[in-house]
């Protein structure tokens, strides 16, 4: 994906966190990525070891699952955040956690008018 389609912070460093099973792991967080073009996409992630004075060394590559990006007219609405997202947020990672109640609250607010 060229830089005009994929927006946000494209590089992340490892962050030590606990997962849902309370196991410590290293995670790479990308809280603000967005894709400007609708369609089905898959992201490629490359892991590099970077040491001062040496050329970066590629250690691994992996791919995301395929996911759908909608144009604004077809957008089905915001879905609830995953349990892992909420788990990371409780550990201090700055990310938006959606409970799934946002639409209900918005509808209730509109009915109060």
């Amino acid at each position: 994906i060229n830089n005009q389609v994929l927006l946000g912070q494209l590089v992340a460093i490892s962050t030590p966190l606990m997962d849902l099973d309370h196991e410590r792991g290293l995670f790479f967080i990308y809280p603000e990525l967005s894709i400007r073009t609708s369609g089905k996409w898959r992201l490629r992630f490359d892991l590099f070891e970077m040491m001062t004075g040496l050329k970066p060394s590629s250690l691994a590559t992996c791919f995301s699952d395929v996911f759908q990006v909608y144009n604004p007219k077809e957008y089905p609405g915001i879905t609830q955040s995953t349990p892992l997202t909420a788990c990371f947020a409780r550990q201090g990672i700055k990310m938006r956690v959606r409970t799934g109640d946002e639409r209900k609250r918005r509808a209730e607010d509109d009915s109060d008018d």
Side-chain angles (χ1 to χ4, degrees):
I1 300 174
N2 71 41
N3 289 340
Q4 295 178 345
V5 174
L6 183 63
L7 301 174
Q9 186 173 337
L10 305 180
V11 176
I13 60 169
S14 62
T15 303
L17 296 165
M18 302 296 273
D19 68 13
L20 293 172
D21 297 321
H22 304 288
E23 296 284 332
R24 189 174 257 319
L26 294 175
F27 295 88
F28 297 85
I29 311 294
Y30 297 88
E32 296 293 331
L33 281 183
S34 65
I35 296 177
R36 295 174 48 170
T37 304
S38 62
K40 292 190 177 189
W41 296 92
R42 174 178 284 195
L43 299 179
R44 182 176 105 184
F45 298 92
D46 295 305
L47 178 64
F48 287 90
E49 180 177 40
M50 302 180 78
M51 299 176 69
T52 304
L54 298 176
K55 181 179 174 185
S57 174
S58 177
L59 299 177
T61 297
C62 67
F63 294 88
S64 72
D65 290 338
V66 174
F67 58 92
Q68 178 73 41
V69 175
Y70 296 92
N71 70 44
K73 290 182 180 180
E74 297 173 350
Y75 185 61
I78 296 170
T79 59
Q80 185 173 347
S81 296
T82 65
L84 188 59
T85 298
C87 177
F88 289 168
R90 284 191 301 273
Q91 294 175 69
I93 298 298
K94 292 184 187 336
M95 37 192 354
R96 219 177 253 165
V97 177
R98 303 192 191 286
T99 62
D101 295 334
E102 287 82 5
R103 276 195 238 163
K104 184 176 14 170
R105 264 184 284 184
R106 209 173 302 132
E108 289 171 358
D109 290 346
D110 291 345
S111 67
D112 290 343
D113 293 343

